[in-house]
């Protein structure tokens, strides 16, 4: 779990105070990985506390994070710093959170990041890493994974060394998120709850977090009678609780299929989940019904027929990436999931998307 | 925050696997502080993984934990171990949790534990410490405090070094808790929620945890249609969420007054909270109403007239201990609390208890 958390509007201002005691020496800089939507946004950037050789690396989150991107960042950091950095600070959405976690792991572990995609493959503790989310929903700020697209698969580096040492939850940082992205990323959280609460891995720990996040999502996306600030605060907490819920259970059908979609088409995770989930009445009838209400309430139009022109080979890859996520299917369907979820079944589902 | 948590029925069996990698060397033992109700209970004790010079110290939880008790335990441990221990493992209720946290702090910090009662006075990180609750409600398994009765005051050692490094939440360990104690300790959690949710320090973080714990308490103590196992599981989670809620806000009137009661009369925390809360309609009308319903549903009779024979001097001490807890009053009443909460007002309230 994340060891330290600060919550509050304006808590981003405490960053200097929080990280200063963690500086190892003047040659060991802090590296800030910052979503490039903030480039030139001095409201945020002027508050990044730079000293000595600290560096800001602006990173586009237009594509899902890749193992090759992690390895390139690690190489750049090693080549341009005098000593191993004092810490990695990620400021952005799920993509930046995942990159910050993966880079901090790969600075102390040999080889390439693709070698660590899986469960509990990380040997050495990561360097100090801080997560500062600027959009809410992914749960990446609290999770023990860092989902990466590698040469062979889309899969997380799941390990005890993955979670951030420190998280700063400042809901004010989410104030300028565009409407569609707010919805897609918020739905990532909503789908986490549905998949966790309806999974066979459910336990009282995950259930209590999942139920809270689910209730907050309904309050946010259906009841919709909060002030802008309250909504920012509550969505940040929903994301947190949704992330905690899946950390102790697992996601399900929507995530498995969305990984396949994303691997082949590069679809971003939030919208990809929505596209898939919209067609999953069969697995999550109540959850999908509410989702459609939320979509309609916020006038969200999802892309249609994404898979219309896929070749057989592309379908096969998509299906294989999805099927490889065995724990997700086991959680969703049960131990005998292979009897229900065949390549043919998945093809049929994908063909509607 | 607690860095690592395991949840599940039977997860106590993982203790060996969890602590073994933390053994520093063969001369640095693990010290198990165990509630003496488990003495001779081989169902539990046979699963305590002892090796080398590891020791089990059985401790009575009949009285609230004291600074003198912490200091005596630390001295005993220093005198009887070859090297500083590898870790302290607390197995018991709130008293044992608090002792385990305090001992682990005092093994690396000079002086006496009374010197650290307050906020952020601890200089050095504690030794590795593990909490394994065997009764649910106090939130001591998750909190950043360890409440101790000292020579001058009842106050916690609140610090970033106080929380456990590891918690094992095994609801099965609570199966033999006697009914009255189950209720009093469960109400500690319920009262945490009421005080947090009705406090001026409330924020979206605390609110989300407090609401979840509150909802679980209602399900457990009013709706009451769970199996014994479900109830054990859910109460353990309620305790956790209630503890998280106050960790990011504060408790209020019931805790402040209960500390005074406990300081003078030695009343245990759970029942003390109940005795006080029963008379706080003025501050928490809805919360007290529900509390009375819960009490009646479970046929709980609280002691009456505890303060009937107190001397003026005893009243003064009780009132002074309560009034000293300024953050609690500020949370409950607001910045101008001193206008409302006078010694006379408190005496009037105590006289009814």
């Amino acid at each position: 779990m994340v060891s330290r958390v600060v919550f509050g509007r304006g808590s981003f201002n405490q960053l200097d105070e929080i990280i200063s005691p963690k500086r190892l020496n003047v040659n060991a800089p802090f590296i800030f990985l910052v979503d490039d939507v903030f480039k030139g946004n001095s409201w945020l950037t002027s508050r990044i506390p730079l000293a000595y050789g600290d560096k800001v690396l602006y990173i586009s989150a237009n594509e899902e994070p890749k193992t090759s991107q992690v390895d390139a960042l690690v190489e750049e950091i090693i080549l341009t710093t005098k000593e191993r950095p004092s810490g990695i600070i990620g400021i952005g959405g799920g993509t930046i959170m995942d990159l910050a976690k993966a880079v901090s792991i790969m600075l102390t572990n040999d080889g390439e990041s693709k070698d660590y995609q899986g469960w509990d493959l990380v040997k050495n503790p990561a360097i100090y890493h801080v997560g500062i989310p600027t959009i809410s929903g992914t749960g990446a700020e609290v999770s023990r994974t860092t989902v990466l697209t590698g040469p062979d698969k889309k899969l997380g580096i799941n390990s005890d060394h993955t979670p951030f040492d420190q998280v700063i939850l400042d809901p004010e940082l989410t104030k300028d998120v565009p409407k569609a992205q707010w919805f897609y990323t918020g739905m990532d959280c909503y789908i986490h709850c549905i998949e966790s609460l309806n999974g066979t891995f459910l336990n009282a720990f995950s259930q209590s977090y999942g139920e809270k996040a689910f209730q907050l999502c309904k309050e946010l996306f259906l009841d919709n009678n909060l002030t802008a600030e309250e909504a920012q605060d509550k969505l940040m907490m929903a994301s947190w609780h949704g992330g905690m819920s899946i950390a102790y259970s697992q996601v399900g059908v929507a995530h498995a299929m969305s990984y396949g979609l994303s691997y082949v088409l590069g679809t971003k995770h939030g919208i990809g989940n929505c596209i898939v989930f919209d067609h999953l009445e069969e697995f999550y009838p109540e959850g999908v019904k509410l989702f459609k209400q939320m979509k309609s309430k916020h006038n969200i139009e999802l892309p249609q027929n994404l898979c219309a022109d896929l070749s057989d080979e592309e379908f096969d890859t998509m299906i294989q990436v999805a099927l490889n996520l065995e724990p997700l299917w086991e959680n969703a369907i049960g131990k005998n999931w292979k009897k229900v979820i065949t390549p043919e079944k998945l093809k049929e589902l994908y063909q509607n998307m």
Side-chain angles (χ1 to χ4, degrees), chain A:
Chain A
M1 285 193 3
V2 174
S3 331
R4 301 213 175 166
V5 186
V6 171
F7 175 89
R9 301 185 78 79
S11 58
F12 183 54
N13 295 334
Q14 296 173 36
L15 182 55
D16 190 20
E17 191 189 325
I18 288 169
I19 64 175
S20 290
K22 301 291 181 182
R23 189 181 292 280
L24 301 172
N25 67 61
V26 297
N27 293 321
F30 285 109
I31 310 294
F32 297 84
L33 306 185
V34 182
D35 190 315
D36 70 0
V37 294
F38 291 111
K39 207 170 179 173
N41 178 338
S42 66
W43 175 76
L44 184 130
T45 57
S46 66
R47 294 186 286 161
I48 297 175
L50 297 173
Y52 308 105
D54 296 348
K55 273 190 235 295
V56 174
L57 304 178
Y58 287 105
I59 295 173
S60 163
N62 288 340
E63 296 187 2
E64 291 288 282
K66 296 181 186 61
T67 53
S68 57
Q69 192 180 7
V70 172
D71 298 336
L73 279 166
V74 170
E75 192 178 349
E76 178 181 348
I77 291 168
I78 290 172
L79 291 176
T80 60
T81 55
K82 292 183 188 155
E83 289 184 18
R84 183 184 282 175
S86 294
I88 302 291
I89 290 103
I91 304 175
T95 295
I96 307 295
M97 294 295 103
D98 279 352
L99 286 172
K101 290 192 279 187
V103 166
S104 72
I105 288 169
M106 293 311 301
L107 281 165
T108 54
N109 286 277
D110 293 336
E112 296 172 71
S113 52
K114 71 176 171 60
D115 305 334
Y116 298 92
Q117 286 180 285
W119 280 270
D120 301 308
L121 303 170
V122 178
K123 302 277 178 304
N124 305 315
I127 69 165
Y128 177 72
H129 50 305
V130 179
I132 308 176
T134 62
I135 183 168
S136 299
T138 68
E141 67 280 12
V142 74
S143 73
R144 76 187 286 280
T145 191
T146 160
V147 184
L148 301 172
T149 305
D152 318 313
K153 55 196 170 204
K154 182 169 180 184
L155 184 61
I157 301 180
N158 298 267
S159 85
D160 283 343
H161 304 302
T162 309
F164 287 110
D165 298 295
Q166 168 84 52
V167 168
I168 298 178
L169 296 176
D170 181 348
E172 201 182 24
L173 301 181
T174 67
K175 70 184 173 59
D176 297 322
V177 172
K179 169 93 185 267
Q181 215 181 333
W182 163 82
F183 185 84
Y184 299 140
T185 310
M187 286 302 105
D188 193 11
C189 170
Y190 174 73
I191 296 168
H192 288 156
C193 301
I194 301 296
E195 293 185 313
S196 166
L197 292 172
N198 293 284
T200 61
F201 293 1
L202 191 66
N203 54 68
F205 191 99
S206 290
Q207 187 184 1
S208 63
Y209 278 102
E211 284 174 351
K212 186 66 212 176
F214 177 70
Q215 180 259 315
L216 286 167
C217 284
K218 283 199 295 188
E219 199 179 336
L220 283 155
F221 293 100
L222 282 178
D223 305 346
N224 204 21
N225 45 24
L226 300 169
T227 67
E229 296 196 350
E230 283 170 347
Q232 289 154 17
D233 292 4
K234 290 196 173 202
L235 187 52
M236 196 160 262
M237 289 315 303
S239 176
W240 180 265
H241 293 307
M244 282 298 291
S245 183
I246 46 165
Y248 284 76
S249 64
Q250 192 42 279
V251 284
V253 181
H255 275 75
M257 293 193 67
S258 158
Y259 281 15
L261 206 66
S262 165
Y263 186 84
V264 173
L265 298 174
T267 319
K268 288 280 292 178
H269 183 65
I271 192 171
N273 273 349
C274 288
I275 292 166
V276 171
F277 195 66
D278 207 27
H279 294 272
L280 297 185
E281 292 94 338
E282 177 183 349
F283 302 100
Y284 307 111
E286 285 304 309
V288 174
K289 194 173 139 199
L290 278 185
F291 170 76
K292 288 184 188 288
Q293 285 173 25
M294 293 173 178
K295 211 176 52 154
S296 145
K297 178 153 195 129
H298 296 285
N299 304 312
I300 301 290
E301 295 280 343
L302 291 173
Q304 304 291 328
N305 304 318
L306 253 82
C307 299
D309 303 321
L310 289 189
S311 68
D312 282 349
E313 204 186 344
E314 285 172 316
F315 266 124
D316 287 347
T317 308
M318 194 174 273
I319 290 163
Q320 208 43 59
V321 168
L323 282 179
N324 278 344
L325 295 158
E326 304 209 349
L328 283 64
W329 292 109
E330 190 183 328
N331 177 46
I333 315 283
K335 285 215 179 296
N336 294 322
W337 63 270
K338 286 184 184 170
K339 290 190 182 152
V340 183
I341 304 300
T342 58
E344 297 70 36
K345 173 75 187 167
L346 286 189
K347 186 158 186 178
E348 193 188 301
L349 283 163
Y350 274 131
Q351 277 169 334
N352 293 325
M353 291 175 189

